[in-house]
Amino acid sequence: MTSTVADQQVIADAIHAGARYLITTDVDDFDFGDLAAHDMNAVNPDYFMALRFTEQAYQEGVALLAAVQQSPSRTEAEIHRMLGRRHPHLAARFADSYNTTPVSTPNQVNEPGYAPTITPRQADGGHEKIPGGGQVAAR
């Protein structure tokens, strides 16, 4: 598979920005070779946040979302629960922070097109955890 012209432009923009990660729900759109050539990874937002957020950062984000939520207003626990629909890994990681169970979409992680991450090393069967540091390009 070769990345499309539009996806190659995303990679070019990420290179220009000095990014190491492409944060995208379309992880499978990027070719291994295109990513490896620039020592980049394409990562699903849910997976990226679950691996990178600290508990304090997550709680602050949930508190901010709850503070600005209107019509209807929501508690932090309700916001956390709702995040589980789109970000099941993130909500599961911080499940102990709130006295509630995240709402998740059945089989979301098994749906077509859901790929948590593609790294250049996956092409040869290796696995890479997302290391600290580096710039991130969101798509």
Side-chain angles (χ1 to χ4, degrees), residues 20-21 31-42 117-128:
R20 289 180 30 206
Y21 306 106
D31 180 64
F32 289 119
D34 291 344
L35 294 170
H38 303 288
D39 198 28
M40 275 189 208
N41 299 304
T117 183
I118 292 179
T119 67
R121 286 196 237 170
Q122 283 181 325
D124 63 8
H127 176 72
E128 177 180 341

Side-chain angles (χ1 to χ4, degrees), residues 3-58:
S3 300
T4 66
V5 173
D7 292 335
Q8 289 172 350
Q9 183 60 53
V10 170
I11 293 171
D13 292 343
I15 293 166
H16 182 73
R20 289 180 30 206
Y21 306 106
L22 296 174
I23 310 302
T24 177
T25 57
D26 297 323
V27 169
D28 53 354
D29 285 357
F30 294 93
D31 180 64
F32 289 119
D34 291 344
L35 294 170
H38 303 288
D39 198 28
M40 275 189 208
N41 299 304
V43 184
N44 180 281
D46 175 37
Y47 187 66
F48 183 81
M49 291 184 293
L51 290 175
R52 297 297 302 255
F53 280 14
T54 64
E55 186 170 7
Q56 179 181 349
Y58 180 75

